[in-house]
Amino acid sequence: MRLLIFTLLFNPCIIFAQNITVELNKNWHFKNQKENKWYKANVPGTVHTDLLANKLIPDPYYRDNESKLQWIDKADWEYKTVFNLEEALFNKSMLELTFDGLDTYADVYLNGKLILQTDNMFRGWAVYVNQFVKRTNNVLLIKFASAQNKVDSIAKSKLPLVLPDNNRVYLRKAQFQFGWDWGPKFVGCGIWKTIKLKGWNGVRISPTFTIEKNNIKLIQQKDSIGTSFYFEKNGKPIYAKGANWIPGDVFLPRLKREDYRKMLLSAKGANMNMLRVWGGGVYESDDFYDLCDSLHIMVWQDFMFAGGMYPGDDAFMNNVREEVKYQIERLRNHPCIVLWCGNNEVEEAWKNWGWQNQFNLHGADSAKVWNDYKRLFQDSLKKWVDEFDGSRPYVSTSPKNGWGHKESFTEGDSHYWGVWWGLEDWEAFENKTGRFVSEYGMQAMPNWNTIKSFTDSSDRFMQSPVIQSHQKASDGFKKLNHYLTRYFIDSAKLSRLSLEDYTYLSQCMQYYILKNSIAVQRSKYPANMGTLLWQLNDCWPVTSWSITDYSRQPKAAWYGVREAYRDDVLPVKDSVYPKDLELEKPKFTITLTPDNIYITSNVSAKYVYIKSINSDVEFSENYFNLEPYKQKIIPVKSNKKFSISDFKIKSLYDILNAQ
């Protein structure tokens, strides 16, 4: 049977008749293909959120439920709806069923006929359905095959060749869903974007397009240091201040426009002017780019490849070409996008991470894997960007050089992970700041209320399996403790801290290191022309490098980054380590008005943290320093009345001098 399938274009077409469009997002049901009982489903949605809504599974983010729900990814699922057509739509000469996002391996049936087979989460699909559709009682059935089973089968068929470093590289699906060092493993499936039925009479003609110019260029020129890497607008250099962006939720359809608005306003509020959409996630929603346009936040856009070597066969390459075509045509009219980047850390990994030995890739195998890499990222993607966009620059990988190489400080962009992974001091940036630092960071615990949201009271201690399960980084707490004892507290006192105090101190430490790292990097201007910290946000409640956690609330570091990214004054490095400060016990005085908190201390106080106990209060400032008897005025937002009893105050003295 020949399937009438083509890729859906983003640009609307000129139609010589009235166009009618209806969304087919209601009355859906789903089931495990091996079972007979159907349950209500939400479209757009995912199998995990549908199972949760029907109370068939516990909250995947709560406690250690992640490990108990891996069976979901090994099952096959199907979704079904029944719909009728209004006479006006049914009588159109052309009827087209469009799918903005099917995740990932799906067979689509309309009234018992197979009309579409998909294999790419990142593509839109469309099918002419005049020959299949009825006036009433149309049955639309979508069968999803397990992506985990599918990719494992593909990988097995390629043996003895093993592509680094995860079987996920064989399929076009959000790579982070297979687990990352800040995220859980929920591979999943589902109808993650809208389904529409469109009808028209006559002929559609695709219009010519014009790309809205942003007058922003990437400048890479040889100079006395090496090769520059910076952006300029209307001929004037821009110093990029920003962060890396990961998906805001593992279960992507949960994200609404207001979620994007809150997260992007937090970036803008921290004086950021650029976000890098990281290549292990997704090409973001229209809401994301619309908001970046309006907020004047530049977007560095990775293509969705990260941390693995990808196949180079013709079927895979053709699939990627259609993905790139679809996404560029969808996104090219957004002036916020200033750069297309081929992948995240793939070239660095191949050259520096020892994959050839680890995966026994030598001789012809090694040459094939590397040639496939060059074919996709150095040749094809560049050609496709020029073909479908033509106005924006393309770089094949980020970073250009690994952080262990001296060239990473003299040319291109750099990911500097000597601080954190290499356990180096933040002062290392004095000699190791690249031309454009597109990744670096420091971990901290999530906010205490967030910890309470995913734990039972019995879980709230450092060695708790639940706390450990929400730390995905290799030796994560060991590295955190290294930096805490380096800058803040001795190991004996650290071991006695409650989980809540440990949380507070880890956030102070992240604030301290990011603020000082940015201060060093900005002092290297104009040799250094950009700093994008890892990372702005989280996709679930977790200990990570984020400066706003899954609750969308700022961690301590957000306040430090906001100050360090100011335009009107450059940040100044701390001259004394926090553990060497001579602190006295502060006595705080607090007064309240409906809109402000007024606070003073009788002595110098560091990292003063105001915690809201009983009311939902947003603080314009937190984790601040107080000079003796100098009043601090903090504007607050709250939907409820609050009193002094609603707040607790903590400072660094309380932690360092606790018995």
Side-chain angles (χ1 to χ4, degrees):
M1 175 182 182
R2 186 179 180 184
L3 305 182
L4 302 176
I5 304 169
F6 60 92
T7 301
L8 175 65
L9 298 177
F10 170 72
N11 284 318
C13 295
I14 299 171
I15 301 172
F16 295 104
Q18 183 182 10
N19 184 23
I20 299 176
T21 300
V22 296
E23 291 190 356
L24 301 180
N25 295 335
K26 296 180 179 179
N27 304 315
W28 283 88
H29 292 78
F30 82 110
K31 73 177 184 70
N32 188 317
Q33 287 188 27
K34 291 184 177 180
E35 298 175 358
N36 295 320
K37 186 173 182 179
W38 292 88
Y39 299 90
K40 288 185 178 180
N42 290 312
V43 171
T46 74
V47 65
H48 287 87
T49 51
D50 286 331
L51 288 166
L52 181 62
N54 284 277
K55 299 181 179 179
L56 298 173
I57 61 170
D59 182 351
Y61 295 170
Y62 187 62
R63 303 192 76 199
D64 56 353
N65 286 340
E66 175 196 359
S67 63
K68 302 170 185 175
L69 299 177
Q70 294 304 302
W71 62 271
I72 298 169
D73 297 336
K74 299 293 184 69
D76 300 322
W77 301 89
E78 56 188 79
Y79 282 71
K80 180 177 70 174
T81 190
V82 179
F83 64 93
N84 301 324
L85 296 184
E86 295 293 334
E87 195 73 33
L89 178 57
F90 181 71
N91 288 331
K92 294 296 184 183
S93 64
M94 300 300 294
L95 292 172
E96 174 187 278
L97 196 57
T98 67
F99 305 85
D100 290 342
L102 297 176
D103 181 12
T104 292
Y105 289 101
D107 291 346
V108 181
Y109 297 82
L110 181 58
N111 296 324
K113 301 293 185 180
L114 178 65
I115 63 169
L116 174 66
Q117 293 177 297
T118 74
D119 59 357
N120 191 323
M121 177 182 181
F122 304 125
R123 288 172 62 180
W125 308 82
V127 189
Y128 289 123
V129 295
N130 293 73
Q131 61 181 309
F132 307 115
V133 79
K134 303 184 297 184
R135 172 73 175 79
T136 61
N137 294 319
N138 291 281
V139 179
L140 181 59
L141 175 69
I142 304 177
K143 294 187 175 184
F144 289 97
S146 161
Q148 185 68 66
N149 292 346
K150 182 75 172 178
V151 78
D152 288 344
S153 176
I154 295 172
K156 186 177 181 180
S157 73
K158 304 296 182 181
L159 292 175
L161 178 69
V162 178
L163 289 182
D165 71 335
N166 189 298
N167 292 347
R168 60 179 164 76
V169 298
Y170 283 104
L171 82 169
R172 297 309 300 140
K173 179 173 171 61
Q175 304 285 271
F176 84 107
Q177 293 174 336
F178 291 83
W180 220 265
D181 58 4
W182 36 257
K185 183 178 185 291
F186 291 120
V187 177
C189 68
I191 305 167
W192 76 289
K193 289 192 174 184
T194 302
I195 298 175
K196 298 186 184 79
L197 184 62
K198 301 177 181 180
W200 68 92
N201 295 322
V203 179
R204 295 199 306 180
I205 301 175
S206 297
T208 57
F209 70 89
T210 58
I211 297 175
E212 187 173 344
K213 298 292 184 180
N214 55 31
N215 296 318
I216 297 176
K217 297 179 180 179
L218 174 64
I219 308 300
Q220 299 183 90
Q221 295 178 340
K222 296 287 185 181
D223 58 21
S224 61
I225 301 171
T227 304
S228 68
F229 191 105
Y230 67 92
F231 296 88
E232 69 172 25
K233 183 173 184 177
N234 299 324
K236 295 182 179 180
I238 302 169
Y239 189 89
K241 302 172 300 177
N244 286 262
W245 172 277
I246 67 169
D249 204 303
V250 174
F251 307 124
L252 295 159
R254 282 179 169 177
L255 295 168
K256 308 306 179 189
R257 185 178 180 87
E258 281 309 305
D259 296 305
Y260 284 109
R261 179 181 296 279
K262 186 163 189 175
M263 288 186 281
L264 290 172
L265 285 175
S266 76
K268 191 70 173 179
N271 296 311
M272 295 182 183
N273 59 17
M274 178 177 281
L275 292 173
R276 173 179 173 241
V277 178
W278 169 76
V282 295
Y283 306 95
E284 274 297 347
S285 75
D286 293 339
D287 288 334
F288 173 88
Y289 300 100
D290 288 341
L291 288 163
C292 286
D293 287 341
S294 65
L295 292 169
H296 303 291
I297 296 174
M298 295 178 287
V299 173
W300 166 320
Q301 179 66 55
D302 280 5
F303 289 104
M304 293 301 116
F305 302 89
M309 302 303 292
Y310 291 83
D313 58 275
D314 288 345
F316 187 87
M317 295 289 289
N318 291 337
N319 197 356
V320 172
R321 184 184 186 277
E322 292 304 313
E323 168 190 324
V324 170
K325 180 176 186 290
Y326 172 77
Q327 292 295 343
I328 290 181
E329 289 177 341
R330 180 174 76 92
L331 300 176
R332 63 192 173 193
N333 289 322
H334 288 284
C336 63
I337 298 176
V338 299
L339 177 69
W340 300 104
C341 177
N343 67 70
N344 172 75
E345 294 186 348
V346 176
E347 186 165 334
E348 175 185 8
W350 178 252
K351 292 179 177 178
N352 301 314
W353 293 4
W355 277 350
Q356 290 90 333
N357 289 330
Q358 182 182 351
F359 295 96
N360 194 29
L361 295 168
H362 303 287
D365 284 345
S366 178
K368 171 180 168 45
V369 172
W370 178 242
N371 287 334
D372 286 346
Y373 173 91
K374 291 192 294 183
R375 180 189 178 196
L376 177 56
F377 295 110
Q378 295 180 0
D379 301 331
S380 299
L381 273 170
K382 183 180 188 306
K383 180 178 68 176
W384 297 335
V385 167
D386 290 342
E387 178 182 355
F388 303 128
D389 184 331
S391 70
R392 292 179 179 86
Y394 169 79
V395 295
S396 62
T397 189
S398 177
K400 184 176 181 182
N401 297 288
W403 60 265
H405 297 268
K406 63 180 181 180
E407 294 83 5
S408 67
F409 311 122
T410 61
E411 59 184 52
D413 73 310
S414 66
H415 295 188
Y416 193 71
W417 285 107
V419 178
W420 178 260
W421 285 108
L423 298 179
E424 295 179 4
D425 295 347
W426 61 260
E427 290 93 338
F429 282 113
E430 291 286 3
N431 299 310
K432 297 178 179 178
T433 291
R435 311 302 301 270
F436 191 106
V437 188
S438 47
E439 277 193 28
Y440 65 98
M442 180 54 55
Q443 272 203 355
M445 299 284 282
N447 291 310
W448 183 243
N449 283 344
T450 300
I451 291 174
K452 288 168 65 177
S453 75
F454 71 80
T455 58
D456 179 77
S457 59
S458 64
D459 301 323
R460 294 168 195 159
F461 62 98
M462 275 305 300
Q463 288 72 38
S464 158
V466 169
I467 295 298
Q468 298 292 322
S469 72
H470 287 251
Q471 161 67 281
K472 295 297 185 179
S474 174
D475 291 330
F477 285 123
K478 184 177 179 180
K479 291 184 175 72
L480 265 178
N481 292 345
H482 166 84
Y483 284 102
L484 285 167
T485 55
R486 178 76 179 99
Y487 291 112
F488 276 84
I489 192 171
D490 66 58
S491 57
K493 286 184 178 179
L494 180 63
S495 66
R496 294 196 297 267
L497 292 183
S498 68
L499 183 64
E500 186 171 4
D501 284 346
Y502 183 95
T503 295
Y504 163 83
L505 198 63
S506 77
Q507 291 207 11
C508 292
M509 187 267 294
Q510 186 188 34
Y511 177 124
Y512 168 81
I513 289 183
L514 288 182
K515 177 242 181 177
N516 282 287
S517 298
I518 293 168
V520 175
Q521 291 173 30
R522 293 193 68 182
S523 74
K524 304 299 182 181
Y525 171 89
N528 167 262
M529 288 297 294
T531 169
L532 306 180
L533 64 88
W534 185 273
Q535 65 213 60
L536 177 67
N537 58 309
D538 278 329
C539 65
W540 77 313
V542 65
T543 299
S544 81
W545 299 266
S546 70
I547 63 170
T548 63
D549 74 8
Y550 182 66
S551 73
R552 319 299 182 209
Q553 297 302 311
K555 290 156 72 169
W558 182 89
Y559 298 96
V561 169
R562 180 181 64 180
E563 289 301 302
Y565 277 172
R566 284 171 58 177
D567 288 323
D568 57 334
V569 60
L570 288 174
V572 177
K573 295 177 292 183
D574 287 68
S575 58
V576 179
Y577 290 173
K579 68 180 182 181
D580 295 329
L581 293 169
E582 295 183 2
L583 299 175
E584 299 178 75
K585 181 176 177 62
K587 181 179 179 181
F588 297 107
T589 303
I590 306 175
T591 56
L592 304 176
T593 66
D595 300 314
N596 296 304
I597 296 176
Y598 301 84
I599 181 170
T600 58
S601 171
N602 64 326
V603 297
S604 178
K606 301 294 184 182
Y607 295 100
V608 178
Y609 168 57
I610 306 177
K611 177 184 176 183
S612 175
I613 306 299
N614 299 313
S615 56
D616 181 20
V617 177
E618 293 184 22
F619 302 101
S620 63
E621 292 190 58
N622 221 334
Y623 297 90
F624 49 83
N625 296 332
L626 281 176
E627 295 303 316
Y629 298 105
K630 186 173 182 180
Q631 188 179 67
K632 184 82 170 179
I633 304 174
I634 304 171
V636 296
K637 293 181 180 179
S638 178
N639 295 324
K640 303 176 183 177
K641 291 183 178 180
F642 50 83
S643 64
I644 290 177
S645 63
D646 287 326
F647 304 105
K648 285 187 177 181
I649 297 180
K650 182 180 294 185
S651 73
L652 189 59
Y653 175 91
D654 301 312
I655 307 303
L656 300 189
N657 293 276
Q659 298 302 315

